[in-house]
Amino acid sequence: MIVEQVPAKRVFGLAVPALGVLAAEPLYVLVDTAVVGHLGALPLAGLAVGGVVLAQVSTQLTFLSYGTTSRAARLHGAGRRADAVGEGVQATWLALAVGLVLLAAGQALAGPIARVLAGSADVAAAAVSWLRIALCGAPLILVTMAGNGWMRGVQDAARPLRFVLVGNGISAVACPLLVYGAGWGLEGSAVANVAAQVVSAGLFLRALVAEGISLRPRPSVMRTQLTLGRDLVLRSFAFQACFVSAAAVAARTSTAAVGAHQIVLQLWTFLSLVLDSVAIAAQSLVGAALGAGHERQARGVAGQITRYGLIFGCVLCLLFGLASQVLPHAFTADPGVLREIPHAWWFFVALQPVAGVVFALDGVLLGAGDAGFLRTATLAAAAVGFLPLIWFSLAFGWGLPGIWTGLSLFMVLRLAAVVLRWRSGRWAIVGAVR
C-alpha cells in the first residue's frame, strides 16, 4: 500500500509545544531534586521515595490524557469538534472524582506506604512529611491531564504549553525561596509543587468553560472512557510496579544508592517525555487521519514518527554520554551519591535510541486506540524482564547495575513487540470511534 506522509512542519508544529508541556513537569522535578539535593542525602532520599509515590497519580491514570487524546482526535478528524471537546468535559469530571478519592486515601496511607518503600525510619519520615503536602495537588494534576488530552485531540498545542509553563514557572521560582529563604526545607518543595498544580488546573478549567458546550456529567461517555482507561491503567500499573520496586530495592541498598537512583531516574523520566513529544503529535495526527478514513496517511505518519524517534534517541545518547563527568554535580555534592551514579548512568545513556523508537510507536498505537495490545505487551515485558532482575538484585546484592539491567531488558522486549505490531498494520482501523 502507498502511504501518505504529512509535512514535517505539521508534525513539529504539534510536537514542539507538546515537548514544552511534557518537559515542564519533570524539568520542575529536576529543579526540585537539585534544590533538595543540596540539603543532603537524607532529604534527597525522602524526596525520592515520596516522589515515586506521587508519580503514581499521573502515571497510573494516563487514560485521562492519552485516552482522551485518542478519542477526541478521531472525533475531530470526523469533523465533530463539539463532541471532541465533550470528551474533555467528561474526562475532567472523572479527574475530579478520582483525584478526591486519591487525596483521601493518600493521606491515610502515606505513612505505611513510605515505611514499606524506604530503607530506614529516617527516610520514611522525610518522605511522609513531603508527601502529605504534595498529595493535596492530586485532583489538580488529573484535571491538567484531562485538559491536555482534549486539547491535543483537537490539535490545539499552544494553550496547554502556556498553561503549564505559567504554573511550573511560578513554582520553580518559589521552590528555592521556600526551601532556603523561608527555611521550610523539604516541605517547602512540596508547597511549591501544589502551587504549580493550582495555577495550571485553573487555566485548563477556564478554557473548558469558554468552549460554551454543556458541562453536565454524562455517565455513558465516562463509562466508555473507563473501558479504554482499564487497558491503559493496567499498562501503567506494569510501569509503576517496576519503578516502585526499583526504588524500594535501591533504598535497601544504601542511602547513597537511592539518591543516585533518584537523580538518574528523573533524568530518564525527563528524556522519556522529550522523546514522547513527537509521539504526542502522532497520537493527534494518527487519530485524526483514522477518524477521517485516511488509512494511508495514518501509516505514513507512523513511519515518520518512528524515524524521528530513532534520530532523537541517538542525539540524546551522544549528548548525555559527553555530559557524564559534569551533569551529576548539578544535582548533588554528596560524594557517596556521586560514586553510585555511574552504576546507572551508562545504562541510561545506551538506552536512549531504543527508547526513541519505543516511545514513538507507543504514540502511534495509542493514537489508533490500540490500547489492548500495548497493555499486554507491557505487562509481559515487565513480568519477564524488569521485575525478576530487580528482585534478584535485592537477593544477590547486585545494586544499581542489576536494577538498570532489568530496565534494559524491559525496553528491548517492548521494542520487539511494538515494531512487530507496527509492521503488521492491524492497528490501522478507520472510523470516528474505535
Side-chain angles (χ1 to χ4, degrees), residues 274-288:
V274 169
L275 292 169
D276 206 30
S277 64
V278 179
I280 294 296
Q283 288 182 44
S284 181
L285 294 170
V286 167

Side-chain angles (χ1 to χ4, degrees), residues 30-270:
L30 287 175
V31 172
D32 198 16
T33 300
V35 171
V36 172
H38 289 284
L39 291 174
L42 179 60
L44 182 61
L47 177 63
V49 174
V52 165
V53 176
L54 184 64
Q56 309 315 301
V57 173
S58 56
T59 50
Q60 281 299 115
L61 298 168
T62 53
F63 75 92
L64 289 169
S65 54
Y66 293 116
T68 304
T69 296
S70 173
R71 290 177 55 79
R74 281 182 176 262
L75 292 164
H76 179 68
R80 296 164 56 184
R81 178 184 167 87
D83 289 336
V85 177
E87 293 288 330
V89 172
Q90 305 312 312
T92 300
W93 281 114
L94 281 174
L96 289 169
V98 174
L100 290 172
V101 171
L102 288 174
L103 173 58
Q107 294 296 334
L109 298 174
I113 291 172
R115 286 191 290 273
V116 168
L117 295 177
S120 71
D122 288 341
V123 173
V128 170
S129 178
W130 183 90
L131 188 58
R132 289 192 186 280
I133 299 170
L135 277 169
C136 294
L140 304 173
I141 292 171
L142 300 185
V143 167
T144 296
M145 291 171 60
N148 270 299
W150 74 262
M151 285 188 175
R152 291 169 183 167
V154 300
Q155 300 187 16
D156 181 352
R159 286 192 295 169
L161 176 59
R162 291 199 301 269
F163 297 167
V164 172
L165 287 181
V166 169
N168 282 353
I170 291 171
S171 201
V173 173
C175 184
L177 294 177
L178 295 175
V179 170
Y180 297 118
W184 292 1
L186 181 60
E187 289 80 4
S189 80
V191 173
N193 190 290
V194 174
Q197 305 308 332
V198 169
V199 174
S200 296
L203 291 170
F204 278 108
L205 287 171
R206 187 178 69 175
L208 196 58
V209 171
E211 288 287 327
I213 66 170
S214 172
L215 300 179
R216 67 179 179 84
R218 295 178 58 193
S220 62
V221 175
M222 285 190 273
R223 282 195 297 271
T224 304
Q225 289 179 338
L226 287 171
T227 299
L228 175 60
R230 175 198 58 205
D231 292 331
L232 294 178
V233 166
L234 288 171
R235 175 176 175 265
S236 296
F237 176 78
F239 288 130
Q240 297 318 307
C242 293
F243 288 117
V244 170
S245 297
V249 172
R252 285 162 173 77
T253 301
S254 69
T255 300
V258 73
H261 179 70
Q262 164 72 0
I263 289 170
V264 180
L265 181 62
Q266 290 305 325
L267 284 167
W268 168 264
T269 301
F270 175 67

Side-chain angles (χ1 to χ4, degrees), residues 309-325:
L310 178 59
I311 292 168
F312 290 165
C314 290
V315 170
L316 292 173
C317 176
L318 176 62
L319 290 176
F320 281 83
L322 294 173
S324 63
Q325 300 302 310

Side-chain angles (χ1 to χ4, degrees), residues 314-401:
C314 290
V315 170
L316 292 173
C317 176
L318 176 62
L319 290 176
F320 281 83
L322 294 173
S324 63
Q325 300 302 310
V326 177
L327 191 55
H329 293 270
F331 298 99
T332 184
D334 187 280
V337 175
L338 289 170
R339 282 194 298 270
E340 287 286 341
I341 284 177
H343 296 152
W345 187 271
W346 294 108
F347 289 97
F348 153 73
V349 169
L351 281 173
Q352 293 310 308
V354 174
V357 175
V358 170
F359 299 146
L361 286 174
D362 275 357
V364 169
L365 297 178
L366 284 171
D370 200 12
F373 173 81
L374 288 173
R375 172 208 63 208
T376 302
T378 305
L379 287 169
V384 174
F386 205 160
L387 288 172
L389 278 170
I390 286 174
W391 294 111
F392 285 153
S393 296
L394 178 63
F396 297 106
W398 293 344
L400 291 185

